[in-house]
Amino acid sequence: MTTTGRQIRSATGLAFVLGVVPTQVDASELSAGISLGWIQAGTATRLAVSPHAGISWRTKSDITFHVRDLLSVVPPIQIGGAGVYNSAMVALGYGWENGDFSVGPSFAIYYMPACGSVLCGRIAGMAAGVHAQTNAYVAGPLGVSVSANVDWIGGSSLVLPGYVSILVGAGPVLRWNVK
């Protein structure tokens, strides 16, 4: 029986996550919010309204493990019409009493208008990328969240051959502690 490099990388990644996120966690947090920002796929920047929710676990050493979902809606008020861009992500980070920062891989499913250098149209598909987010809680459970996603999209699209998508948003966030 042979082991491929892909299986070794997957096993190494799983061992890292299991080693960093021990079974003894200090607390869990649920968070939800809505962000306003922009999404750029190709040459056109579009307004995005992004409700998001997540759960995080904090270890006794303030290392955090996050699972989040971010649904970005491109409103139909723009040229090209409406669209959706849903990103799911897992992340590792660091937390403190009034906030946290995390970064990790993301996976997106999208259907939205976009423009390349010559052509405009609708794009649809799946993309892998990276996600970073920071939350600062300024009034108890109420805070501000800033997030950014970079996803690699394109492929055989005539509209976007080989481009990336960038999503940046900021807005209020609310957290609940679960002990």
Side-chain angles (χ1 to χ4, degrees), residues 94-122:
Y94 181 76
W96 56 94
E97 183 180 347
N98 294 321
D100 60 67
F101 172 79
S102 62
V103 64
S106 66
F107 178 76
I109 298 173
Y110 56 89
Y111 178 73
M112 59 182 280
C115 290
S117 58
V118 178
L119 209 59
C120 288
R122 297 193 79 65

Side-chain angles (χ1 to χ4, degrees), residues 34-157:
I34 189 161
S35 297
L36 289 175
W38 56 267
I39 186 167
Q40 182 168 352
T43 59
T45 302
R46 301 180 186 282
L47 173 69
V49 179
S50 305
H52 54 89
I55 185 168
S56 62
W57 296 270
R58 185 182 306 231
T59 66
K60 293 183 193 298
S61 61
D62 292 331
I63 300 294
T64 57
F65 177 73
H66 303 262
V67 177
R68 294 191 177 108
D69 191 71
L70 176 76
L71 173 64
S72 298
V73 177
V74 176
I77 59 174
Q78 301 165 87
I79 294 173
V84 293
Y85 199 96
N86 190 68
S87 295
M89 62 281 304
V90 295
L92 289 175
Y94 181 76
W96 56 94
E97 183 180 347
N98 294 321
D100 60 67
F101 172 79
S102 62
V103 64
S106 66
F107 178 76
I109 298 173
Y110 56 89
Y111 178 73
M112 59 182 280
C115 290
S117 58
V118 178
L119 209 59
C120 288
R122 297 193 79 65
I123 58 172
M126 297 180 280
V130 66
H131 170 80
Q133 183 167 335
T134 188
N135 298 319
Y137 297 98
V138 294
L142 182 61
V144 176
S145 178
V146 177
S147 65
N149 272 42
V150 177
D151 294 311
W152 289 266
I153 63 174
S156 62
S157 170

